[in-house]
Amino acid sequence: MKKATLIAALCGLFMGAQTISAQETAQELTYVSDPSQGVLLNRMKDNWFITAEGGVDVYLSSLASKRSLSDRFMPAASIYGGKWFSPVFGGRIGFSYMGLKGLAANESYIGALQNEHLVDGQYAKTRYNEFGLVGDLMINLTNWWCGYRPGRIYNATVYLGAGGYLTYTKQYKANGESDGYKHANSDLVALRAGLINSFNVSKQVALSLDLRFTGFNGLQNDGGTGWNKKYGALEAFIGVTYNFKNREWNAPVVPVCPESENCDALRARLAAADARIADLEAQIKDCLSRPVETVEASSAPLATVYYPIGVSRLSRENQRVVKAIAHVMKSNSDKKYVLTGWADNYTGTESINMRLRKNRAEGVSKLLQRNGVPASQLTVTTNNGNLSDLGEKCVALDRAVTIEEAK
């Protein structure tokens, strides 16, 4: 066997082993997305949400602390629209309401309730309604510290934000009668921070407990000595969030051994396949190191001219072939050539086939001589065998004239 043939066979075995190994592995491995390997950012239209929440707040200030804690609770509410830009970072913007109960030095200050409930016979109770536009930057601590997992039920999110509030208080006429709630010249600028404890009840909906502190200034209620800058509110909210599509994040796909399979057996099979591949590589290396064997090529005709059944006349195409052969013969004037006529032995009688063999060979000889080949270079003969010897289905290959260099 020639070296090239051996290399081809070994390469076939090598590729076959790799294919079998890959097929066996594919049948036993499953592939899943693994968020621990990282995530891909989604499109801008993905991962939007809307949140509505309601709860209570407690107003904190130096004077408000003189009022009973149980008498300082007020309702609070918010509604937001937001987006998660990654499993860790997001933002939201919305509208917020705070109700604040405190104390003023006397009834002449903003928000003081007239003719009602003095505390310690001196301080007037106050009530404020704050309506604001707010925004927050959010960080999902659970995804940051523990890695993103789509099926996680609980998530802890911290946020830091700011906003501005319009203050509405109860106004009074000169005679002390109530004139209803109106906008007061005591609007607020606020900074806020909080912790959202969210619980996923489905892929779309989550419930949350939002604990927040809001710091602000601007309410003039501390004895007329100036603006009290130690203001704030503690707030707690129960909320519901709806997550719009797309709600999850794409992650790299990794192979995983089936839980029901023995991974040690799989590793053993892979190791056996690696050993087979290494053996084939060694055989190829050994084959390449052997000396090259030279094989003498078998002699072949200079040319072969084929004919249709029962025809001895050269076609135009064959005439062009013979003319080209004549050019080669003239350039090798020292060589002699044998023209052999053939006919198939499956059709026609023997006498017809003998005539076809002779006429075909002589026709080629005459055309060569007309194109300058000396008759002394040519020997005309016939052969009553089968040129191809490939059987009755290949008889077209037996109707021919072969042109060979004389030995």
Side-chain angles (χ1 to χ4, degrees):
M1 181 182 291
K2 295 182 180 179
K3 179 184 288 188
T5 304
L6 178 59
I7 292 175
L10 291 174
C11 287
L13 291 173
F14 178 78
M15 294 304 294
Q18 286 186 316
T19 302
I20 292 171
S21 176
Q23 291 175 344
E24 291 174 350
T25 303
Q27 292 172 354
E28 303 213 17
L29 289 178
T30 58
Y31 293 85
V32 299
S33 59
D34 184 5
S36 66
Q37 303 294 322
V39 294
L40 303 176
L41 294 181
N42 284 347
R43 298 166 296 180
M44 188 62 187
K45 68 177 184 178
D46 296 330
N47 301 100
W48 288 87
F49 63 87
I50 185 170
T51 299
E53 58 185 18
V56 297
D57 64 49
V58 175
Y59 180 37
L60 305 175
S61 74
S62 57
L63 277 184
S65 63
K66 299 180 182 296
R67 187 169 177 172
S68 171
L69 177 63
S70 62
D71 194 30
R72 279 188 281 156
F73 286 101
M74 281 285 284
S78 303
I79 185 168
Y80 307 97
K83 172 179 171 59
W84 287 102
F85 298 96
S86 77
V88 176
F89 297 102
R92 66 181 184 178
I93 188 170
F95 296 96
S96 175
Y97 164 74
M98 292 187 300
L100 304 177
K101 284 183 177 180
L103 290 177
N106 56 61
E107 293 179 343
S108 65
Y109 286 92
I110 294 174
L113 302 178
Q114 303 291 311
N115 305 317
E116 290 188 32
H117 304 96
L118 291 178
V119 176
D120 295 336
Q122 176 184 1
Y123 302 107
K125 291 184 179 181
T126 58
R127 180 179 296 173
Y128 306 93
N129 293 292
E130 307 291 342
F131 298 90
L133 178 66
V134 295
D136 300 310
L137 297 177
M138 303 185 297
I139 299 177
N140 187 313
L141 297 179
T142 313
N143 286 341
W144 184 11
W145 294 340
C146 305
Y148 168 68
R149 191 172 73 241
R152 181 179 286 123
I153 295 177
Y154 172 77
N155 283 278
T157 300
V158 296
Y159 61 91
L160 179 66
Y165 287 85
L166 299 177
T167 302
Y168 286 81
T169 63
K170 200 169 187 178
Q171 304 288 333
Y172 295 90
K173 300 177 181 179
N175 60 7
E177 293 181 5
S178 174
D179 197 22
Y181 281 89
K182 296 183 179 180
H183 178 245
N185 187 22
S186 187
D187 297 328
L188 307 180
V189 175
L191 295 177
R192 45 194 253 152
L195 170 67
I196 303 173
N197 302 274
S198 62
F199 302 85
N200 294 319
V201 296
S202 69
K203 290 183 178 181
Q204 298 87 3
V205 179
L207 301 178
S208 62
L209 172 62
D210 186 351
L211 304 176
R212 179 189 311 155
F213 173 78
T214 302
F216 48 83
N217 60 15
L219 290 174
Q220 189 182 16
N221 71 346
D222 259 0
T225 58
W227 297 94
N228 178 14
K229 298 183 180 180
K230 299 178 181 177
Y231 294 92
L234 288 176
E235 303 167 89
F237 300 87
I238 298 297
V240 59
T241 296
Y242 181 81
N243 298 296
F244 298 97
K245 289 185 177 181
N246 183 358
R247 305 177 181 92
E248 298 180 350
W249 302 85
N250 296 327
V253 175
V254 297
V256 177
C257 291
E259 294 182 1
S260 60
E261 293 289 337
N262 185 348
C263 288
D264 290 337
L266 178 59
R267 294 189 186 96
R269 295 178 66 179
L270 291 174
D274 290 339
R276 291 165 61 188
I277 292 171
D279 180 63
L280 290 172
E281 289 175 338
Q283 293 185 51
I284 293 174
K285 184 177 181 181
D286 179 66
C287 179
L288 293 174
S289 64
R290 295 176 186 174
V292 178
E293 299 178 4
T294 58
V295 178
E296 183 178 354
S298 59
S299 58
L302 174 64
T304 302
V305 180
Y306 293 97
Y307 296 81
I309 184 172
V311 175
S312 59
R313 186 176 63 255
L314 287 166
S315 65
R316 290 184 180 180
E317 291 77 8
N318 283 339
Q319 288 179 21
R320 287 195 290 269
V321 172
V322 173
K323 290 177 182 179
I325 296 170
H327 180 74
V328 174
M329 290 180 174
K330 288 187 294 183
S331 62
N332 295 278
S333 58
D334 58 330
K335 295 182 179 179
K336 296 184 180 296
Y337 299 91
V338 177
L339 312 181
T340 305
W342 302 81
D344 75 84
N345 293 313
Y346 300 96
T347 59
T349 63
E350 180 59 25
S351 61
I352 293 175
N353 288 337
M354 287 179 62
R355 185 174 67 253
L356 287 171
R357 295 182 189 110
K358 179 180 178 183
N359 291 344
R360 287 168 176 170
E362 289 179 349
V364 172
S365 176
K366 290 177 181 178
L367 185 56
L368 289 172
Q369 292 179 50
R370 284 201 300 269
N371 283 275
V373 179
S376 59
Q377 274 189 274
L378 305 174
T379 301
V380 178
T381 184
T382 61
N383 191 316
N384 60 0
N386 291 318
L387 174 59
S388 66
D389 202 23
L390 295 176
E392 189 173 356
K393 293 183 179 181
C394 299
V395 293
L397 298 177
D398 295 325
R399 305 164 190 148
V401 172
T402 56
I403 304 171
E404 302 174 281
E405 187 178 336
K407 298 180 180 180

